[in-house]
Amino acid sequence: MEIINIFYYLAVILIFAKVFGLIARKIGLPQVAGMVVAGVLIGLMGYLNDPDNFFLSFFIKPDAEEMDILHVFAQIGVVLILFSSGLETNLQDLKKSGGSAFLIALAGVIVPMFLGTVGTLLFMNGYSDFNSDKFLNAIFVGTILAATSVGITAETLKELGKLNGKVGQTIMSAAIIDDVIGIIALSIVTSLRSGGAAQIGMTLLRALGFFVFAIGVGILLRIYFKWEEHKFPHKRRTSIFAFGMCFLFAFVAEKFFGIASITGAYLAGIMLSGLDDTNFVDRKVIVSGYMIFTPIFFSYIGISADFSGFNISYLLFALTFVALGIIGKIIGCGLTAKPFGFTNKESVTVGCGMIARGEVALAVYSAGRSLIMPEGGIDPLVATIFLIVISSIVCPILLKLLFKDKKEGLPLEEKQQ
Amino acid sequence: MEIINIFYYLAVILIFAKVFGLIARKIGLPQVAGMVVAGVLIGLMGYLNDPDNFFLSFFIKPDAEEMDILHVFAQIGVVLILFSSGLETNLQDLKKSGGSAFLIALAGVIVPMFLGTVGTLLFMNGYSDFNSDKFLNAIFVGTILAATSVGITAETLKELGKLNGKVGQTIMSAAIIDDVIGIIALSIVTSLRSGGAAQIGMTLLRALGFFVFAIGVGILLRIYFKWEEHKFPHKRRTSIFAFGMCFLFAFVAEKFFGIASITGAYLAGIMLSGLDDTNFVDRKVIVSGYMIFTPIFFSYIGISADFSGFNISYLLFALTFVALGIIGKIIGCGLTAKPFGFTNKESVTVGCGMIARGEVALAVYSAGRSLIMPEGGIDPLVATIFLIVISSIVCPILLKLLFKDKKEGLPLEEKQQ
């Protein structure tokens, strides 16, 4: 380990990730996809390196400890993404369109998860030699299909000027809620590892325990932050203490309750949402994220990707995975929307609005990757990248076609380039 | 190494550092001093930990690899501080008060460095068994005395409303210039290690080589950034690419020229100073810094401090060190100011305005600590903390007394709490 090398990795990753992110955006893909591709390229360049001659190397390959350090940065990146999502959650809006959106989101999690799990089991030679490790690997793959990308969904609806209509509002609420359900599902799946399916009661109990902790301690801290923002509005200390709370919740979730650390960060964000200084804090979180941690998160996924298992049969799996992920959302969300007073076309639109996947799918992947069987398992990373790229192309196209007739709401500017 | 533990360290360090920083500010000390003290306390708490029972521990002690990770964060913190200083350098102002300020700064570096080196050699049993390792240790201690804290100086002058007068302007320019001279001195001292005093020609050549590289590549990148800020003003990409450039310069400086990485970051900042988007970038650097990296930098110094050598003789050394640091600046800068048309009182004021030390002294310490002899050497860390605390109390008091009669300039708000 050489500390000075870290500066090199940071420079290369930041520049590559941003350049490929911008290229992706240019050709109509989300930046996230470009950053993952940048990571894959950096990882491949690592194989071309000549350890004895820096100038003959395309990229110095990080040693094990240096990779650990990049991993820490990546973990902080994903924790910041979820903390920011939590901060931006509008609990009032959620309550309003809550009932229908909740059921739509729930169906949109269960159907793709079920389809993904069954599909993966079929690819792992079916039920004939069903066993617990296999099942965990398969249900983990299914869980990746759970969460819609709020970012991509919001961007598409903004571009179409449909963010504030009835359909748009329902899609947005359901997309936010399925993040929560997806993360809870991941927590349950991850903690199953330790004790098999019999542990499920214990796991739910621990999840409940963490929610009680998070809400209890969260309310006390919220009172403190309310006092602080009135006495010292817009001070650095508020953001720094909020950061501290985020990291503390992430730590406590995983250390004492066996729940994924991103769940802790997300709940920390929700507990601080809707305060006067919430936007102030969120801006600092976003800046700290995009300046260094989130590009590393997305690239790290690519850098650490293992393509050695890629072949025709994996390609078939990946395409099935993508198809199930898209069909599962349209069926699950669309059919559930129907009884809530949506027309047939509107129901299909709600379903199509939920198919985009993005950063949360990668977050779920990176939190649960230890569930992949070391031998004979299926690593869904490449399939997940396919899913993100394809779903974020397909989602805007379908929405544009379905929304073609009437306009509601106003397009907003986007300045994230 | 457990990644989840990192979240715990981050939470504890951020919260402690900010709380102690605020306490320090409350009692009239710079926040930096409070953050270092927070680190010392965290380090001491580590000794009270019970590795088998989290709840009986005051603080889980980081293992070796976890300390390495904190060290990386600390290094990024100091690089960001210097990058930001570089960005904020106003080359036009420097040119204006340049001649006199440069000589005042130079004398203010040479006199305390000389006094500090000689003083340290005396504490190491004098010249009788003079050898090269000893001399390096001593000159390293002297180098810590070189750089005035621009931050503390600026804050004091702002509070007194003297930032824009002739005396204030000269102090500010000289304080900025002595950062550069101090960092160059450190680069030379650090690189001496490899080959002893005979290497000095080679070292100056490498320093020159790096300056040629930094200015050459820097001008090309500056042209690129100028093009970018006109075509895409105020975009995230500008800040991210600037970050990339900062890390690249830090890496190249140390890896290929044997110059301290902070020198590289500082020069990267200077090469991007004065552009339309410089302030935009600087704000992102500052936010990324204070949200996570710089509190870790200041605390890490305290956490990794070794107090086992602290005794009466060290206390004597520390007090001598502080006294030489203060007297050296007053004599060096004051005497040099006299011939440039300052009255006796104004010359003393210039000297007193230069005595505050802060983050750059700690940066120099952390960049050069490997020069401390493993046996029989003097580790100036505790003395440096004394120096920062005492000089930042003494400097404002002396300036207030000397400036008592007339007012120039206007006080500015400060919102860094």
Side-chain angles (χ1 to χ4, degrees):
Chain A
M1 215 278 290
E2 274 190 74
I3 283 183
I4 190 67
N5 284 350
I6 301 294
F7 290 117
Y8 170 76
Y9 303 131
L10 293 180
V12 171
I13 292 173
L14 287 179
I15 294 169
F16 261 73
K18 194 63 197 172
V19 167
F20 278 79
L22 289 172
I23 292 172
R25 178 170 276 247
K26 196 91 187 166
I27 58 176
L29 293 177
Q31 290 207 42
V32 168
M35 291 189 179
V36 175
V37 171
V40 170
L41 289 178
I42 292 172
L44 293 177
M45 287 194 304
Y47 289 105
L48 300 172
N49 98 106
D50 176 345
D52 299 323
N53 190 331
F54 179 83
F55 292 103
L56 286 181
S57 303
F58 286 87
F59 182 70
I60 325 174
K61 209 181 162 75
D63 67 23
E65 202 187 337
E66 287 162 356
M67 269 308 263
D68 276 353
I69 290 173
L70 293 180
H71 190 183
V72 167
F73 276 83
Q75 282 302 109
I76 295 174
V78 64
V79 157
L80 294 186
I81 290 171
L82 272 291
F83 184 50
S84 176
S85 299
L87 287 173
E88 288 166 17
T89 303
N90 186 329
L91 289 176
Q92 306 306 323
D93 279 5
L94 270 190
K95 268 186 212 153
K96 228 185 296 165
S97 53
S100 57
F102 177 77
L103 290 178
I104 292 170
L106 190 64
V109 167
I110 292 174
V111 177
M113 257 186 92
F114 176 77
L115 292 178
T117 307
V118 171
T120 309
L121 280 173
L122 290 177
F123 270 91
M124 294 168 101
N125 302 321
Y127 294 93
S128 56
D129 59 345
F130 175 90
N131 67 41
S132 167
D133 275 355
K134 216 169 190 176
F135 182 70
L136 275 178
N137 191 153
I139 200 172
F140 161 61
V141 174
T143 311
I144 293 175
L145 295 174
T148 297
S149 163
V150 184
I152 295 167
T153 310
E155 219 173 296
T156 308
L157 290 171
K158 268 183 204 166
E159 278 176 31
L160 295 171
K162 301 286 179 185
L163 200 56
N164 302 311
K166 186 189 169 198
V167 172
Q169 187 69 59
T170 304
I171 294 175
M172 279 305 295
S173 299
I176 291 166
I177 294 169
D178 81 357
D179 277 8
V180 188
I181 303 177
I183 291 169
I184 295 172
L186 172 74
S187 293
I188 295 172
V189 170
T190 312
S191 63
L192 283 179
R193 181 180 18 183
S194 34
Q199 277 288 82
I200 205 159
M202 188 59 201
T203 300
L204 284 170
L205 211 68
R206 279 191 302 178
L208 189 73
F210 180 66
F211 276 83
V212 170
F213 164 87
I215 292 169
V217 176
I219 285 172
L220 292 178
L221 289 173
R222 195 182 164 85
I223 291 169
Y224 167 76
F225 277 97
K226 263 200 160 147
W227 169 81
E228 174 156 307
E229 73 182 3
H230 282 284
K231 202 154 157 82
F232 311 103
H234 280 48
K235 293 280 190 190
R236 287 183 182 182
R237 66 185 76 168
T238 310
S239 311
I240 293 171
F241 292 150
F243 246 49
M245 172 175 167
C246 160
F247 293 137
L248 209 61
F249 272 46
F251 171 73
V252 170
E254 191 162 324
K255 183 89 177 181
F256 300 116
F257 295 94
I259 303 293
S261 54
I262 50 175
T263 317
Y266 190 80
L267 278 174
I270 286 183
M271 292 311 298
L272 294 184
S273 66
L275 294 171
D276 288 347
D277 263 352
T278 299
N279 276 332
F280 174 76
V281 171
D282 191 32
R283 274 202 308 278
K284 310 297 177 206
V285 176
I286 291 173
V287 171
S288 302
Y290 76 70
M291 286 298 280
I292 188 157
F293 294 108
T294 52
I296 295 180
F297 168 63
F298 294 120
S299 308
Y300 180 81
I301 286 170
I303 294 174
S304 61
D306 179 9
F307 287 95
S308 60
F310 192 82
N311 52 31
I312 292 291
S313 114
Y314 189 91
L315 182 68
L316 211 66
F317 160 74
L319 295 176
T320 312
F321 175 80
V322 174
L324 293 176
I326 291 176
I327 295 166
K329 282 284 179 193
I330 298 179
I331 294 178
C333 300
L335 284 184
T336 316
K338 191 75 189 67
F340 288 101
F342 290 96
T343 66
N344 282 340
K345 193 177 173 189
E346 283 172 345
S347 301
V348 177
T349 311
V350 169
C352 291
M354 301 287 290
I355 63 181
R357 310 300 208 288
E359 58 283 358
V360 186
L362 289 172
V364 168
Y365 172 80
S366 81
R369 69 202 298 183
S370 63
L371 294 170
I372 300 163
M373 285 169 71
E375 267 173 60
I378 290 185
D379 182 338
L381 175 62
V382 179
T384 305
I385 297 172
F386 274 46
L387 175 69
I388 292 172
V389 173
I390 295 174
S391 70
S392 50
I393 300 172
V394 171
C395 173
I397 294 174
L398 289 180
L399 284 181
K400 245 173 238 174
L401 290 173
L402 287 160
F403 268 129
K404 224 159 64 182
D405 26 342
K406 46 169 187 170
K407 274 227 177 272
E408 358 166 342
L410 280 168
L412 291 167
E413 305 175 62
E414 187 60 23
K415 233 194 169 188
Q416 289 183 14
Q417 316 171 42
Chain B
M1 214 278 292
E2 274 190 75
I3 284 183
I4 190 67
N5 284 351
I6 301 292
F7 290 116
Y8 169 77
Y9 304 131
L10 293 180
V12 172
I13 292 173
L14 287 180
I15 294 168
F16 261 72
K18 194 64 197 173
V19 168
F20 279 80
L22 289 173
I23 292 173
R25 179 169 276 249
K26 195 91 188 166
I27 58 177
L29 292 177
Q31 290 208 43
V32 168
M35 291 189 181
V36 175
V37 170
V40 170
L41 289 178
I42 291 172
L44 293 176
M45 287 194 305
Y47 289 104
L48 299 173
N49 99 106
D50 177 345
D52 299 323
N53 191 333
F54 180 83
F55 292 102
L56 286 182
S57 303
F58 286 87
F59 182 70
I60 325 175
K61 208 180 162 77
D63 67 23
E65 202 188 335
E66 288 162 356
M67 270 307 263
D68 276 353
I69 289 172
L70 293 180
H71 190 183
V72 167
F73 275 83
Q75 282 301 110
I76 294 174
V78 63
V79 157
L80 294 186
I81 290 171
L82 272 291
F83 184 49
S84 177
S85 301
L87 287 173
E88 287 165 18
T89 303
N90 187 329
L91 290 176
Q92 305 307 321
D93 278 5
L94 271 190
K95 268 183 211 154
K96 230 186 294 166
S97 54
S100 56
F102 176 77
L103 290 177
I104 292 170
L106 191 63
V109 166
I110 292 174
V111 177
M113 256 187 90
F114 175 77
L115 292 178
T117 307
V118 171
T120 308
L121 281 173
L122 290 177
F123 269 91
M124 295 170 99
N125 303 321
Y127 295 92
S128 57
D129 59 346
F130 174 89
N131 67 40
S132 165
D133 276 353
K134 216 169 190 176
F135 181 70
L136 275 178
N137 192 154
I139 200 173
F140 162 60
V141 175
T143 311
I144 294 174
L145 294 175
T148 297
S149 163
V150 183
I152 295 167
T153 310
E155 219 173 295
T156 309
L157 290 170
K158 269 182 204 168
E159 277 174 33
L160 294 171
K162 301 286 178 184
L163 199 58
N164 302 311
K166 186 190 169 195
V167 172
Q169 187 70 59
T170 305
I171 294 174
M172 279 305 294
S173 299
I176 290 166
I177 295 170
D178 80 357
D179 277 7
V180 189
I181 304 176
I183 291 169
I184 296 172
L186 171 75
S187 293
I188 295 172
V189 170
T190 311
S191 63
L192 283 179
R193 178 181 19 182
S194 34
Q199 277 287 84
I200 206 160
M202 189 59 204
T203 300
L204 284 171
L205 211 68
R206 279 191 302 178
L208 189 72
F210 180 67
F211 276 83
V212 170
F213 164 87
I215 292 169
V217 176
I219 285 173
L220 292 178
L221 289 172
R222 194 181 165 86
I223 291 169
Y224 167 76
F225 277 97
K226 264 201 159 147
W227 170 81
E228 175 158 303
E229 74 182 3
H230 283 283
K231 202 156 157 82
F232 311 103
H234 279 48
K235 293 279 190 190
R236 287 184 180 180
R237 68 186 74 170
T238 311
S239 311
I240 294 171
F241 291 151
F243 247 48
M245 173 176 167
C246 160
F247 292 137
L248 209 60
F249 272 47
F251 171 73
V252 170
E254 191 162 324
K255 182 89 177 179
F256 302 116
F257 296 94
I259 303 294
S261 55
I262 50 175
T263 317
Y266 190 80
L267 278 174
I270 286 183
M271 292 312 297
L272 294 184
S273 66
L275 294 171
D276 289 347
D277 262 352
T278 298
N279 276 333
F280 173 76
V281 171
D282 192 31
R283 274 202 308 279
K284 310 298 176 203
V285 176
I286 291 172
V287 170
S288 302
Y290 76 72
M291 285 297 282
I292 187 158
F293 295 107
T294 51
I296 296 181
F297 169 63
F298 294 120
S299 308
Y300 179 81
I301 287 170
I303 293 175
S304 60
D306 179 8
F307 287 95
S308 60
F310 193 82
N311 52 29
I312 292 292
S313 116
Y314 189 91
L315 183 67
L316 211 66
F317 160 73
L319 295 176
T320 312
F321 176 80
V322 173
L324 294 177
I326 292 175
I327 295 166
K329 283 283 180 194
I330 299 179
I331 294 178
C333 301
L335 285 183
T336 317
K338 191 75 189 70
F340 288 102
F342 290 96
T343 65
N344 281 342
K345 192 177 175 192
E346 283 172 343
S347 301
V348 177
T349 311
V350 168
C352 291
M354 301 287 289
I355 63 181
R357 310 301 207 289
E359 59 283 358
V360 185
L362 289 172
V364 168
Y365 172 80
S366 81
R369 71 202 296 184
S370 63
L371 293 171
I372 300 162
M373 284 168 71
E375 267 174 60
I378 290 186
D379 182 339
L381 175 62
V382 179
T384 306
I385 297 172
F386 275 43
L387 175 69
I388 291 172
V389 173
I390 296 175
S391 71
S392 50
I393 300 172
V394 170
C395 172
I397 294 174
L398 289 179
L399 284 181
K400 247 173 236 172
L401 289 173
L402 287 160
F403 268 129
K404 224 160 60 184
D405 25 342
K406 48 169 185 172
K407 272 227 178 272
E408 0 166 340
L410 279 168
L412 291 166
E413 306 174 60
E414 186 61 22
K415 234 194 168 186
Q416 288 183 17
Q417 315 172 46

